[in-house]
Amino acid sequence: MISSPEFVGLENYRRLLDDGEARHALWITALLILFGLLPTIVIGLVAATLLNAKFRGIRYIRTLYYMPIVISLVASGVLWRFIYEPNRGLLNWLLSLIGIDGPPWLSSTRWALPAIAMVLVWLAIPLSTMLYLAALQGIPSTVLEAARIDGAGFVAMLWHVIWPMVRPTTALVSLVTVLGLAFGSFDLIASLTQGGPLDSTNTLIYYMYDTAFNQLQVGYASALAVFNFVAVFGTLGAVLAIGRRLVK
Amino acid sequence: MSVRNRTRNSVHLAVVLLGGIVMAIPLLWLASSAFKSTEEIYSFPPVFVPTPPQWSNVADAIDLVGVRTIVNSLIFSGSVVAIQWLLTIAAGFALAKMRFRGGGTIIAVVAASMFIPGQVQLIPMYIVVREMNLLNTYPGMILPIVGHAAFGTLLFRQFFIKLPDGLIEAARLDGAGWWKIFWKIAVPLSGPASAAYCAVTFLNAWNMYVWPLVVATRPNLRVLPLAIAPLASEGTIVPPNIAMAALLVSTVPVLIAFLFAQRYFVQGLSGTGLD
């Protein structure tokens, strides 16, 4: 199936430098991280803030937010293909109710990547909410009470009080989410779009798999794996550094 | 004041409930579609409540994926959990409570390995399994996944560090060996941490797709995600209601487990004692 290995020095890395497809895949990966990370942080934090309350039955409502965590990426691929169905799908029907003519999500080069990102965000919100809720429960309620008595509204409270206090959690959520978007997205892309249409969802991890197990070039795919690893952790370092600057 | 508070509270509750419903819609849609008849699944505008629910879809779905596939998933996930739990709890205990040379180095190496995603290790893992002639075997499928023991080792180490040293000292003075201390003291006390760890590990193994896809392609080793994945392809001939029922069969057992053991799942996933 795969020929026996032969040592070629840095040949595979040199090939990487001239590979336009790898550059494209890097760009797609970066876009996916961008589309996926911000909503996961914002929605997770807002949801956790709202869920950090003492109502009767709040635990059941929390469960609603947590439920997507049990469904596998592959199963959500099947489910969302059905939801994204352009003519009869649930999403386009809901959009038609408010007068929007929904796009053919998965077969459009423009909408396929956002569609993938949307599923990944839906799958990432449970963990992000859990982590933020754990952080919020560690904040003494007197702090939040004091801010409320001083007249802070919901948004002011989030931005000036909570956001600075949950910074370590934001770093953790970013780490987990970026890894999920960069590497974990493979299962979903493999089951929904196979990198298409026209390579518009061909992320580095999918490109690596395709090179190794469909084109049987294990050597070059290994170089791609290393490149992918370095690129993602570079991005992550940059994100965390910018984040530290932003929330001084 | 109290009136304003009450209004604010009901708005708060309404918003949070609405968000929860939006999060749950895809799963509710899955549950409803799994029981629709052929007319209902293709009707537009969509039907929300199948009347009458077509229970036979579930039997058709089980036929579609095959009982053997469900058993394989149980064997794979169960073995991964059992072996990995034993390895990680033992290693975590040793690194927390036994003093030996190089312990710090081991912890550092274990922690560093956590940052190399499984997908990046896919190719080397595949080559190793192939060289050992273990492709398309249960051990070839299970053992490399068991090796991803960093998270569990560190989790149990954190847990056992909090265990008072006096407890172990006392047992040692009474003449108990490490083995006995481990089995009689450490393991029984680790209940909540073990439950949380096993819950999350099982969930991950149950949902694993790319690794089995690469090393175990024979039908007699096929696990559920491999049977489910083709249903997402454009050219599938399986009607959507049967496909949704197949998702139900693969997801509902885990969902029920999650609802019962939510506390442990949440603890295992967020590494905290919530609720």
Side-chain angles (χ1 to χ4, degrees):
Chain A
M1 164 169 170
I2 294 173
S3 56
S4 54
E6 168 198 347
F7 190 71
V8 292
L10 292 174
E11 176 53 37
N12 283 317
Y13 290 95
R14 226 210 50 205
R15 179 177 155 190
L16 192 85
L17 292 175
D18 310 330
D19 184 359
E21 198 159 358
R23 265 197 302 275
H24 175 77
L26 178 65
W27 168 240
I28 296 291
T29 307
L31 276 179
L32 186 63
I33 289 173
L34 190 74
F35 281 142
L37 182 59
L38 293 174
T40 304
I41 289 176
V42 173
I43 298 172
L45 183 56
V46 171
T49 308
L50 290 169
L51 288 167
N52 188 24
K54 289 187 171 57
F55 286 122
R56 217 171 323 146
I58 195 84
R59 286 176 67 176
Y60 300 106
I61 301 180
R62 279 178 200 166
T63 304
L64 287 179
Y65 283 83
Y66 295 164
M67 266 167 44
I69 213 154
V70 300
I71 194 167
S72 67
L73 281 143
V74 175
S76 44
V78 181
L79 171 62
W80 283 84
R81 163 166 306 283
F82 182 60
I83 291 173
Y84 281 140
E85 227 275 336
N87 306 319
R88 291 187 310 265
L90 180 68
L91 183 60
N92 278 358
W93 178 74
L94 288 172
L95 288 174
S96 75
L97 293 185
I98 49 174
I100 297 175
D101 193 10
W105 293 94
L106 295 169
S107 49
S108 131
T109 47
R110 186 168 163 199
W111 290 103
L113 192 65
I116 295 276
M118 188 145 70
V119 181
L120 289 167
V121 168
W122 177 68
L123 289 165
I125 286 172
L127 187 57
S128 151
T129 308
M130 272 178 207
L131 291 171
Y132 276 125
L133 190 54
L136 291 175
Q137 292 185 333
I139 297 177
S141 57
T142 46
V143 174
L144 300 181
E145 277 308 310
R148 192 167 294 151
I149 288 165
D150 286 343
F154 184 73
V155 176
M157 181 96 103
L158 258 183
W159 184 244
H160 294 291
V161 184
I162 293 174
W163 179 246
M165 291 186 93
V166 295
R167 223 173 59 199
T169 306
T170 303
L172 182 63
V173 169
S174 303
L175 174 76
V176 175
T177 309
V178 167
L179 290 183
L181 290 163
F183 302 111
S185 58
F186 172 86
D187 302 16
L188 190 69
I189 291 170
S191 68
L192 272 184
T193 60
Q194 291 87 44
L198 293 178
D199 279 346
S200 63
T201 58
N202 194 4
T203 54
L204 272 172
I205 194 77
Y206 191 80
Y207 183 44
M208 177 205 96
Y209 170 86
D210 194 52
T211 307
F213 297 100
N214 292 338
Q215 297 163 29
L216 307 182
Q217 301 174 358
V218 174
Y220 185 49
S222 301
L224 282 170
V226 172
F227 174 59
N228 193 0
F229 179 72
V230 171
V232 168
F233 274 90
T235 313
L236 202 61
V239 165
L240 295 179
I242 294 167
R244 217 165 290 141
R245 283 281 141 71
L246 274 181
V247 263
K248 260 286 178 269
Chain B
M1 188 65 199
S2 74
V3 171
R4 240 188 61 196
N5 256 344
R6 205 169 309 152
T7 329
R8 200 169 63 187
N9 276 353
S10 39
V11 168
H12 181 156
L13 191 62
V15 169
V16 83
L17 189 60
L18 189 70
I21 290 169
V22 169
M23 282 296 287
I25 280 178
L27 291 170
L28 295 170
W29 190 237
L30 160 63
S32 126
S33 303
F35 297 111
K36 286 177 187 172
S37 66
T38 315
E39 298 87 72
E40 283 169 330
I41 199 94
Y42 287 121
S43 80
F44 192 86
V47 177
F48 288 92
V49 183
T51 36
Q54 204 162 292
W55 304 109
S56 63
N57 288 356
V58 175
D60 292 350
I62 290 175
D63 279 346
L64 175 78
V65 297
V67 174
R68 177 70 196 253
T69 304
I70 299 173
V71 172
N72 283 338
S73 267
L74 286 169
I75 292 175
F76 174 66
S77 312
S79 312
V80 166
V81 170
I83 305 171
Q84 210 177 42
W85 171 78
L86 197 58
L87 283 178
T88 53
I89 193 171
F93 178 72
L95 289 171
K97 289 296 175 204
M98 295 163 81
R99 302 272 168 266
F100 53 91
R101 279 176 77 105
T105 317
I106 293 176
I107 293 167
V109 171
V110 167
S113 78
M114 263 181 81
F115 287 97
I116 307 173
Q119 287 85 354
V120 172
Q121 299 168 38
L122 184 67
I123 296 170
M125 275 161 53
Y126 170 80
I127 293 173
V128 169
V129 170
R130 193 189 61 192
E131 293 303 312
M132 293 173 78
N133 287 321
L134 288 174
L135 285 181
N136 285 310
T137 62
Y138 284 120
M141 212 165 133
I142 293 163
L143 295 176
I145 298 302
V146 166
H148 289 231
F151 168 73
T153 303
L154 295 178
L155 185 93
F156 283 118
R157 178 176 168 265
Q158 287 307 92
F159 179 82
F160 285 130
I161 278 180
K162 294 192 198 114
L163 203 69
D165 282 331
L167 207 62
I168 290 168
E169 291 304 316
R172 285 190 68 77
L173 287 177
D174 289 342
W178 280 114
W179 194 238
K180 196 163 188 176
I181 292 172
F182 174 67
W183 279 115
K184 295 277 185 221
I185 299 173
V187 171
L189 284 175
S190 77
S194 284
Y197 177 70
C198 290
V200 174
T201 307
F202 187 87
L203 179 69
N204 286 335
W206 183 260
N207 289 340
M208 207 166 274
Y209 167 68
V210 61
W211 174 245
L213 173 73
V214 168
V215 295
T217 42
R218 291 241 177 94
N220 61 352
L221 286 166
R222 196 172 66 157
V223 288
L224 270 169
L226 262 62
I228 297 288
L231 305 176
S233 76
E234 205 109 45
T236 178
I237 48 165
V238 177
N241 51 349
I242 307 298
M244 292 296 130
L247 296 190
L248 206 65
V249 167
S250 76
T251 308
V252 157
V254 216
L255 184 62
I256 291 171
F258 178 81
L259 295 177
F260 273 109
Q262 189 178 338
R263 195 159 54 101
Y264 296 118
F265 271 100
V266 173
Q267 278 172 3
L269 287 160
S270 59
T272 56
L274 266 183
D275 287 342

